[in-house]
């Protein structure tokens, strides 16, 4: 185990780059309409393909189990291989290299690729938690936020280098979805080290720099999304600027390494003094140090998955997540058909917009953690989640208005709030159930995603075909009933999360009273 701070930051940069390409499934809405035509499938079958990517998360707990026994680098390459096979075979089919690919085979391949995302996520989470145990919510939040940029990154790459005709972009996306995880994993693998966690007051400055870089990256992404929606915003120049900002975090470990070298030289000068020169007395200094890693979150009971499944808090957490962030993901999966039903053609700009605001939403919890944590205050994750669920419910009801501006605004709100909940949920799992069994516990929690994706996606498909009378539906009525149901369900999710917050706050108060007495 290495103890160099520079390696801690180098590993964080590695997880950032991994997460930036690990949301390959989020670009599905851009080419879903073309896929529907190529496979000659119904809207319900198309929604089932959206569910297929999430269905892989049902077996995400395998990655948590594997991380217990295998090296994290091997776990990483297994995840990248799943994505390569899942999307690569579909690309070969569209490129006419494979003569026939049946619907059920496409479903299984998409599920395999979706499962690969879980393996890469598990590696990134564990690296951040182990390397920054004292500031893990901040590190995890920064790393996880870059998943929100995946759809934007893939659309920018396609627009810059492939220039596909409208509704002819499926091949380009599938090729990138297959190749990018393998390439980035190969580059990043040597960077992933578990370093000894240490408390360094100067890390505060490092986190501030990382926030500045992240905010600049998100701003560039938003400007590119708005520009592409209005005037075909300089796609290649935008891609270059986005690429530079994605590479910028590497400056942090380089700077820390440079600082280490200077400090080492100073230490060598100090140790050149002999004992006689500093007084000639033999002194023994005994210090009793408190383990700084043992904060309130680490002293709590470490709950395994069997006991977790028996807890009321788990089920409140599970369903509130399903009725909010998962519902937001289902909306984004259906974005291609929603824009098509309203007579719009710029699906990629909407997907880019949701991705960009999703990035800021994912980054928000870590920024709050950083600034509030400096004052010795800890924000409840369940409280933060409840606060960001209410705007999603409101956005669904706003979508009953057929205005294009409302569609863009609601998409931004749902993307940002869903991203914030997804990011906060990583730390919520440790807040509620401890860190020891995190890899297994959190993969069980995210099993709500495929379940919710199937239920809400299937319902949306049925209502879509009922309104259209065929495989295609046009007009605001196509999704009106769906939005009403989704808004009501999300309101219920907000209520459940408020109950979870009250219960968790009450249990924390009881623990504080016991410790005081």
């Amino acid at each position: 185990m290495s103890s160099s701070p520079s390696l801690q930051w180098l590993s964080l940069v590695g997880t950032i780059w991994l997460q930036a390409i690990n949301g390959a499934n989020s670009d599905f809405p851009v080419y879903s309409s073309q896929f529907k035509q190529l496979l000659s499938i119904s809207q319900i079958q198309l929604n089932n393909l959206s569910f297929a990517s999430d269905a892989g998360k049902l077996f995400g707990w395998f990655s948590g189990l594997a991380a217990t026994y295998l090296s994290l680098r091997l776990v990483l390459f297994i995840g990248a291989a799943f994505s390569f096979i899942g999307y690569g075979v579909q690309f070969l089919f569209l490129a006419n290299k494979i003569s026939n690919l049946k619907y059920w085979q496409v479903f299984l391949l998409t599920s395999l690729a979706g499962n690969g995302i879980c393996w890469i996520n598990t590696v990134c989470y564990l690296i951040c938690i182990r390397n920054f145990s004292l500031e893990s919510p901040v590190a995890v939040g920064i790393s996880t936020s870059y998943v929100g940029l995946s759809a934007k990154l893939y659309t920018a790459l396609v627009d810059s280098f492939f220039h596909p005709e409208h509704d002819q972009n499926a091949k380009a996306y599938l090729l990138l979805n297959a190749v990018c995880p393998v390439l980035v994993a190969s580059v990043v693998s040597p960077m992933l080290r578990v370093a000894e966690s240490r408390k360094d007051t100067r890390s505060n400055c490092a986190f501030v720099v990382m926030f500045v870089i992240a905010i600049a990256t998100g701003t560039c992404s938003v400007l590119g999304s708005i520009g592409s929606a209005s005037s075909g915003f300089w796609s290649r120049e935008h891609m270059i600027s986005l690429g530079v900002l994605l590479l910028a975090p590497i400056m942090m470990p380089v700077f820390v390494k440079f600082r280490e070298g200077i400090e080492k030289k100073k230490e060598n000068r100090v140790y050149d003094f002999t004992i006689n020169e500093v007084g000639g007395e033999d002194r023994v200094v005994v210090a009793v140090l408190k383990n700084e890693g043992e904060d309130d979150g680490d002293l709590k009971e470490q709950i395994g998955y069997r006991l977790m499944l028996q807890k009321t808090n788990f089920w409140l957490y599970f369903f509130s997540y399903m009725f909010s962030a998962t519902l937001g993901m289902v909306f984004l999966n259906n974005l291609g058909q929603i824009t098509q039903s309203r007579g719009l053609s710029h699906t990629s700009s909407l997907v880019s917009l949701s991705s960009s605001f999703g990035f800021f939403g994912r980054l928000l919890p870590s920024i709050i953690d950083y600034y509030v944590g400096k004052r010795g205050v800890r924000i409840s994750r369940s409280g933060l989640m409840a606060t960001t669920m209410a705007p999603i419910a409101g956005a669904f009801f706003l979508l009953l208005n057929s205005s294009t501006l409302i569609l863009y605004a609601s998409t931004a709100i749902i993307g940002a709030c869903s991203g914030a909940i997804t990011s906060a949920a990583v730390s919520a799992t440790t807040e509620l159930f401890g860190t020891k069994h995190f890899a297994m516990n959190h993969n069980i929690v995210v099993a709500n995603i495929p379940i919710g994706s199937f239920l809400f996606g299937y319902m949306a498909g049925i209502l879509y075909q009922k309104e259209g009378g065929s495989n295609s539906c046009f007009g605001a009525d196509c999704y009106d009933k769906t939005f009403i149901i989704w808004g009501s369900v999300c309101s219920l999710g907000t209520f459940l999360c408020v109950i979870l917050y009250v219960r968790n706050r009450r249990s924390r108060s009881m623990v504080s009273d016991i410790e005081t007495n």
Side-chain angles (χ1 to χ4, degrees):
M1 178 182 288
S2 175
S3 59
S4 173
S6 61
L7 293 180
Q8 288 179 283
W9 291 99
L10 185 64
S11 293
L12 179 60
V13 173
T15 64
I16 285 174
W17 291 346
L18 282 173
Q19 294 286 31
I21 51 84
N22 197 34
N25 59 330
S26 59
D27 59 28
F28 179 73
V30 182
Y31 63 88
S32 60
S33 296
Q34 182 191 355
F35 225 54
K36 181 179 177 180
Q37 295 175 354
L38 291 172
L39 297 176
S40 300
I41 56 178
S42 67
Q43 181 63 32
I44 293 177
Q45 288 176 309
L46 183 67
N47 280 20
N48 286 341
L49 284 184
S50 299
F51 156 70
S53 180
D54 297 326
K57 295 180 175 65
L58 283 172
F59 303 98
W61 59 271
F62 274 115
S63 64
L65 185 63
T68 306
Y69 300 101
L70 304 177
S71 70
L72 292 183
R73 290 178 183 174
L74 180 56
V75 173
L76 170 64
F77 279 110
I78 291 173
F82 285 171
S83 294
F84 181 76
I85 296 170
Y87 289 119
V89 174
Q90 293 182 60
F91 165 77
L92 293 176
F93 168 65
L94 294 189
N96 297 319
K97 302 297 182 182
I98 297 177
S99 59
N100 187 27
L101 199 62
K102 297 179 180 178
Y103 175 79
W104 67 268
Q105 293 172 322
V106 175
F107 184 95
L108 290 179
L109 288 167
T110 306
S111 298
L112 181 65
N115 184 252
I117 292 173
C118 296
W119 291 69
I120 297 176
N121 272 337
T122 297
V123 172
C124 293
Y125 294 155
L126 290 177
I127 287 290
C128 290
I129 290 172
R130 293 174 182 175
N131 280 358
F132 296 89
S133 61
L134 306 178
E135 296 149 323
S136 60
V138 180
V140 169
I142 292 174
S143 173
T144 306
S145 66
Y146 279 81
V147 177
L149 282 181
S150 291
K152 173 61 187 176
L153 183 59
Y154 281 114
T155 54
L157 286 170
V158 169
D159 291 341
S160 300
F161 299 107
F162 293 92
H163 306 293
E165 297 293 330
H166 179 61
D167 288 338
Q168 298 296 320
N169 48 22
K171 275 198 302 185
Y173 280 101
L174 289 172
L175 177 62
L176 289 176
N177 290 353
V179 172
C180 286
V182 174
L183 291 178
V184 175
S186 300
V187 172
V188 163
S189 176
M191 301 165 59
L192 301 180
R193 310 278 185 88
V194 176
E196 180 183 346
S197 182
R198 58 174 64 182
K199 183 67 175 179
D200 186 352
T201 55
R202 287 166 298 186
S203 66
N204 291 334
C205 178
F207 278 121
V208 170
V209 173
M210 295 297 282
F211 284 136
V212 171
I213 294 173
I215 291 171
T217 306
T219 302
C220 176
S221 177
V222 170
L223 290 176
S225 301
I226 295 173
S228 65
S230 59
S231 59
F233 190 63
W234 33 280
S235 60
R236 182 158 294 182
E237 290 82 355
H238 174 61
M239 183 65 245
I240 293 173
S241 61
L242 192 60
V244 170
L245 288 168
L246 285 171
L247 292 174
I250 196 64
M251 294 188 301
M252 185 50 59
V254 172
F255 171 75
V256 173
K257 186 65 176 178
F258 176 74
R259 190 182 67 187
E260 285 177 11
I262 295 176
E263 290 178 347
K264 189 173 182 180
K265 290 180 180 179
K266 290 181 179 178
E267 289 176 3
N268 289 336
R269 291 172 187 168
V270 172
Y271 288 128
D272 283 340
F273 289 103
T274 65
I275 294 177
N276 291 331
E277 289 176 312
V278 297
E281 298 180 1
D282 293 332
R283 298 180 180 180
V284 178
V285 179
V286 179
V288 179
L289 300 177
K290 177 186 175 183
N291 185 350
E292 291 179 334
E294 293 182 353
D295 57 14
D296 292 339
D298 295 323
L299 290 172
K300 72 164 63 176
E301 180 184 7
Q302 300 291 328
I303 298 174
Y305 73 94
R306 290 188 181 89
L307 181 58
M308 181 183 71
L309 291 171
Q310 301 173 26
K311 297 283 187 179
T312 302
N313 279 357
F314 167 76
W315 294 107
L316 288 171
Y317 178 32
F318 186 88
F319 284 111
S320 61
Y321 192 137
M322 181 192 295
F323 294 164
S324 56
T326 297
L327 201 54
M329 294 177 195
V330 175
F331 165 77
L332 298 177
N333 286 339
N334 281 268
L335 204 50
Q337 280 60 55
I338 292 171
T339 55
Q340 186 182 58
S341 69
R342 298 195 176 195
L344 304 176
S345 58
H346 298 293
T347 304
S348 62
S349 64
L350 270 170
V351 172
S352 296
L353 188 70
S354 67
S355 177
S356 302
F357 276 89
F359 169 79
F360 278 116
R362 289 171 180 268
L363 187 63
L364 179 63
S366 60
I367 294 177
I368 293 174
D369 273 328
Y370 173 76
Y371 284 103
V372 173
K374 290 173 65 176
R375 294 168 175 79
V377 179
R378 176 173 294 181
I379 297 294
S380 167
R381 276 297 183 265
S382 52
L384 180 61
M385 290 171 66
T387 303
T388 50
M389 286 178 189
I392 298 178
F396 282 133
F397 290 122
L398 280 176
L399 285 167
L400 295 173
N401 187 313
S402 59
S403 166
T404 301
L405 180 61
I406 292 294
L407 175 61
Y408 274 83
S410 297
T411 299
I413 291 171
I414 294 171
C417 293
S418 297
I421 295 168
T422 303
S423 178
V426 178
S427 298
T429 302
T430 60
E431 178 183 273
L432 294 169
F433 311 115
T435 59
K436 184 177 180 180
H437 307 284
F438 168 80
M440 181 70 77
N441 288 350
H442 193 66
N443 278 296
I444 292 174
V445 170
V446 298
N448 82 83
I449 296 176
I451 297 172
S453 178
F454 174 75
L455 292 176
F456 301 125
Y458 187 76
M459 179 211 68
I462 291 177
L463 293 176
Y464 176 93
Q465 291 195 171
K466 184 178 180 181
E467 291 293 335
S470 64
N471 286 346
S472 297
C473 180
F474 299 96
D477 293 340
C478 297
Y479 280 93
D480 275 0
K481 292 179 181 177
T482 299
F483 292 145
I484 292 173
I485 295 173
W486 285 355
S488 302
V489 169
C490 192
S491 299
L492 174 60
T494 306
F495 177 69
L496 293 177
C497 201
V498 170
I499 296 176
L500 175 63
Y501 167 70
V502 172
R503 285 174 57 89
N504 193 39
R505 185 179 181 183
R506 186 178 300 166
S507 65
R508 282 181 172 271
S509 299
M510 291 174 64
V511 170
S512 298
D513 291 340
I514 292 172
E515 291 176 349
T516 302
N517 295 332

